[in-house]
Amino acid sequence: MASFTVSNHSLPSFRMLNTQTLNYPSSQILPTPSNSHFFGLKLSNSSTFSIPSTPVSFSQKPSIFAKVSKGSKPPPFTLKDQDGKTVSLTNFKGKPVVVYFYPADDSPSCTKQACAFRDSYEKFKKAGAEVIGISGDGSSSHKAFAKKHRLPFTLLSDEGDKVRKEWGVPSDLFGALPGRETYVLDKNGVVQLVYNNQFQPEKHIDETLKLLQSL
């Protein structure tokens, strides 16, 4: 069995300093539930995963900082939507755009966030804004997700996370979980809000509408 040891302690434990170091004496196989979700992280259908036998170190420093910041113009993109149609950021020039990156279709938190955008969609339309959701899922997954939850806005497929990386969207859980970040662009394509909150997905809608109503 894998254990954590600290001097003068016999119970399993671990140290938290500037760097966390976890030592495992031997390779272990732990069971995981099939098709599991954790805050948007889809676990594979495989029933096991391995803990390495060599020490693993995690730095407590932030993983990355967003490249796209308030006052900047983000890199352009062209991606496929849930219907397989090509959509470019430049298509929305002249109107406010809400671009939100989320971890995965149909995970509990991502579903909650998407449905919150759906329920407030008329308010976004009244503000003259377009809503675009982006994740690494394919177009067919987006199509099923949008149909299941009656989502009226565009979902784009960023397979390979190319756009996510270009925009510098931070990851969570030491890089294991794709970040949940929302950007509001004004009609000139300039970023007016960057909001990151992985575990309170509905807050993205509140903060976004607040900003749009002030433009």
Side-chain angles (χ1 to χ4, degrees):
M1 179 180 294
S3 62
F4 309 96
T5 58
V6 179
S7 59
N8 300 325
H9 289 274
S10 59
L11 293 176
S13 180
F14 63 92
R15 296 175 59 192
M16 294 187 66
L17 298 171
N18 288 333
T19 299
Q20 299 178 17
T21 301
L22 287 74
N23 295 311
Y24 300 93
S26 61
S27 179
Q28 300 290 330
I29 304 297
L30 300 179
T32 62
S34 179
N35 296 320
S36 297
H37 296 84
F38 176 74
F39 288 108
L41 176 63
K42 286 186 177 180
L43 302 180
S44 67
N45 288 330
S46 172
S47 60
T48 62
F49 67 90
S50 298
I51 295 176
S53 57
T54 55
V56 180
S57 295
F58 299 111
S59 172
Q60 286 183 310
K61 296 179 181 179
S63 53
I64 61 172
F65 291 97
K67 296 177 184 176
V68 175
S69 58
K70 182 178 178 181
S72 68
K73 285 192 174 184
F77 58 72
T78 299
L79 299 169
K80 297 287 187 181
D81 69 5
Q82 62 262 50
D83 296 315
K85 297 178 181 178
T86 299
V87 176
S88 298
L89 182 59
T90 54
N91 293 354
F92 307 99
K93 188 176 181 180
K95 62 173 62 177
V97 183
V98 176
V99 179
Y100 82 95
F101 290 85
Y102 64 99
D105 291 340
D106 261 332
S107 66
S109 292
C110 295
T111 298
K112 187 179 294 185
Q113 182 181 23
C115 290
F117 270 114
R118 176 201 65 198
D119 294 345
S120 296
Y121 189 63
E122 289 302 317
K123 294 180 182 178
F124 286 101
K125 286 179 64 178
K126 187 176 181 180
E130 294 285 345
V131 177
I132 302 171
I134 300 178
S135 79
D137 300 288
S139 293
S140 59
S141 174
H142 280 340
K143 189 177 183 69
F145 184 48
K147 182 178 180 180
K148 180 178 179 180
H149 299 289
R150 298 175 288 107
L151 305 180
F153 49 85
T154 300
L155 296 178
L156 297 181
S157 176
D158 183 26
E159 294 184 281
D161 295 328
K162 181 175 182 292
V163 175
R164 179 181 286 273
K165 292 171 184 174
E166 288 177 348
W167 284 46
V169 180
S171 298
D172 293 298
L173 297 179
F174 307 109
L177 180 62
R180 187 186 308 282
E181 189 144 286
T182 297
Y183 303 82
V184 178
L185 284 60
D186 64 20
K187 62 182 181 180
N188 297 312
V190 177
V191 175
Q192 296 298 329
L193 175 72
V194 180
Y195 184 74
N196 186 299
N197 192 328
Q198 181 68 257
F199 305 115
Q200 291 181 296
E202 303 100 319
K203 290 283 288 181
H204 287 253
I205 288 75
D206 297 336
E207 295 299 319
T208 300
L209 282 172
K210 189 187 303 181
L211 186 281
L212 284 171
Q213 289 163 359
S214 71
L215 291 179

